[in-house]
Amino acid sequence: MADASILDTLPRPQTNRLSGKDHLALLEQMMRIRQFEIRAKELFLKGVIKGTAHSSVGQEAIAVGACHALEPRDFLLTHHRGHGHTLAKGADIGRMFAELMGKDEGYCGGIGGSMHIADFDLNILGANGIVGAGMGLGAGAALAAKLGGDGSVGIAFFGDGASNEGIFHEAMNLCALWNLPLIFFCENNQYGLTTATESVIAGKGIAARGDAYGIPNTVIDGNAPVAVFEAVEKAVLRARAGDGPTLIEAMTYRWDDHSMRANLEGYRSETEEAGWRDRDPIARQRALVLETGEVDASVLEALQESVTAAVEEAITWASDLPEPELASALQMVKVPRGKSNLPEPPPGTRSLTYKMAINEAFHQEMARDDTVILMGEDVGPVGGIFGTTTGLHAAFGPERVRDVPIAEGVLANCGVGAALRGFRPIIEIQLFDFVTLMMDAIVNQAAKARFMLGGKARVPIVFRGPQGAGIRLAAQHTQSLEMLFANVPGLEIYAPASAYDAKGLMAAAIRSDNPVVFLEHKLLYLGAETPVPEEPYEIAPGTARIVRPGRDCTVIATLAMVERAQQAAERLDKKGISVEIIDPRTIKPLDMKTILTSVRKTNRAVVVHEAPLFGGFGGEIAASIMEQAFDWLDAPVGRVGAPEMPVPYNDRLERDYMPDARDIATAIEATCYRS
């Protein structure tokens, strides 16, 4: 049982640290938050607020005490129960209600809702519906603060349940290693939904876990705003001095159920709830204000009336606002990319390998833009296991080229957090299979941040690494995973098949204001040198390349399959079949215009990819051809892909697994001879 008497065992705050005016300000803020939450729940029960929301009634002292210790330049990240934090940092009540009501004038345009409120002008970087995510994002924001030298510090609020997530440990380790100015603030409200915290926490408690990382930590009374203020002020001063993170565990209690939507019974006793209500943070602060003798009860009554009136006025204002339209919501998914009028430069006579071209793009973009940083495992002096980052550490130093622990979750989330704060991180995925350990950061954070935060955020980040089979690394190091991301709105997917395209597309990816998944094939690293211009250049995403003109069949292929398609076409030349090969170069955006123009000329099409057929991008292209060029087709669209199995280790079986020139030629012939 979560006995409220635990608060009586914690150190008493030094109330003389703050003036009477400060104490009154803390009380007023707590009243505002309490009244907001009470009315939000009532509106939810009436159906005015829909979906779900999570009340912070009972936890107001944490929000106001912590934010009272912050400066305007300081940032915070919060979680699904974050109304109090955002209000305490200065958020407008009316726009808060508007967002919960799904209105166009809400903080996120009615798109994000209760769990995703942000205000970048106030350095509120967003609430988050993924448990613990703010810690990884906060690490990135803190890295940006350190690199930018602006002196800001941040708080990542999280609940007791999040302390068991891997991101908690990964982020604390990274912040301790790099002395990042981030405060880890755990609101221990005794329950993760219905599970008692004490039943799922091993060891000496949440705060004590900081000892393993050399992070100062403390347990405080989370129902006393002065105690919270003192602990956060100390942590802020420490972080601002360059001494790194602090872990604070505040003992508190949520009065309501897990969410306004929940109606769960039987997991908390009446005695337990009554004990915590007796330690109401607002009642305690009210008594403290009266003890100062600077105001009397009538002043506090008038203050409560003023707060209540302000909340009602905000509700009235928000209720009359229009709702967003689908057309405007669609514009929030990605930052629009202007059309480039610059032609692609001629290849010239100087030659580079595929990986040398990628490396040159890194050098040129990092020299051009100081906000470009590179992070990954073994990307530093060693230059990466495939040599794509050679020389970068020497050229740009350890601040901008950072080796990270083997902790893909915080690596990716740290990159997203830094991107939200104006940097352009390149995140190397040592082998692309490890991207599965980054899925939250890529799919839930990077891809959705701009949209769910109302079109305000920019997330200029590149997730890159080698994928594909062909060098005998077995099933967990050789997958082709592009379609895991193709169905995620907000992401761009680049897949260069030549050194020329690799350099130009990498420059475009780094300069993009949207998150990019950049695929590099291991076999292409082993290819010969081919002509690549020395000067920096971009290739516009969504611009396909006609690799080889032809008249009888269009073949669409990417990455290592492009060369194999060329080999197949050369074989078929001898049989009088002329094959046109198109390399889309980017899977999202996809240049269907070039593909359709070719199909309308050849009247036949075959799509080739290395991944298994089922769910592969070939099905999407085939469907688009059938929908938009059906009248020109003389045969069904053919598809070539791997069998429905993981990649085998045995070298002969691996060769059999991967589509080759013979497989492609067979599919082209079958399509050409079928009518």
Side-chain angles (χ1 to χ4, degrees), residues 70 116 147 246 328 439 455 493 504 571 608:
L70 299 180
H116 303 118
L147 292 176
T246 300
S328 62
M439 290 299 281
I493 306 170
R571 291 187 182 189
V608 184

Side-chain angles (χ1 to χ4, degrees), residues 501-566:
D501 289 349
K503 179 178 175 179
L505 283 174
M506 182 59 77
I510 293 170
R511 297 179 192 184
S512 174
D513 285 331
N514 297 302
V516 176
V517 175
F518 196 97
L519 308 175
E520 305 159 22
H521 201 287
K522 301 182 195 74
L523 288 179
L524 297 176
Y525 288 158
L526 306 176
E529 295 184 1
T530 55
V532 177
E534 290 188 47
E535 71 271 19
Y537 61 94
E538 286 186 78
I539 293 173
T543 307
R545 174 171 66 106
I546 300 176
V547 179
R548 185 183 197 275
R551 65 177 183 275
D552 297 323
C553 184
T554 298
V555 173
I556 303 101
T558 60
L559 294 169
M561 295 297 107
V562 173
E563 182 179 358
R564 297 186 179 198
Q566 289 178 274

Side-chain angles (χ1 to χ4, degrees), residues 125-140:
L125 303 187
N128 209 294
I130 303 300
V131 173
M135 289 180 277
L137 300 176

Side-chain angles (χ1 to χ4, degrees), residues 577-615:
I577 298 175
S578 174
V579 178
E580 180 152 297
I581 300 173
I582 295 177
D583 174 8
R585 301 200 287 194
T586 62
I587 295 172
K588 286 183 74 177
L590 180 63
D591 182 3
M592 277 306 300
K593 181 179 179 181
T594 297
I595 294 171
L596 292 170
T597 298
S598 176
V599 171
R600 288 166 181 155
K601 177 180 70 174
T602 65
N603 308 119
R604 292 175 174 83
V606 173
V607 189
V608 184
H609 53 71
E610 181 177 323
L613 276 180
F614 189 86

Side-chain angles (χ1 to χ4, degrees), residues 467-471 478-480 521-523 610 647 654 657-658:
Q467 75 161 26
I471 62 171
T478 50
Q479 300 166 90
S480 295
H521 201 287
K522 301 182 195 74
L523 288 179
E610 181 177 323
V647 182
E654 184 180 42
Y657 170 89
M658 296 179 70

Side-chain angles (χ1 to χ4, degrees), residues 97-155:
F97 273 119
E99 186 60 35
L100 268 62
M101 294 177 186
K103 298 301 183 72
D104 190 56
E105 291 294 319
Y107 266 111
C108 303
I111 301 298
S114 169
M115 292 188 287
H116 303 118
I117 291 174
D119 187 339
F120 284 79
D121 292 335
L122 296 173
N123 290 310
I124 301 169
L125 303 187
N128 209 294
I130 303 300
V131 173
M135 289 180 277
L137 300 176
L143 174 61
K146 184 174 182 177
L147 292 176
D150 63 9
S152 65
V153 304
I155 299 181

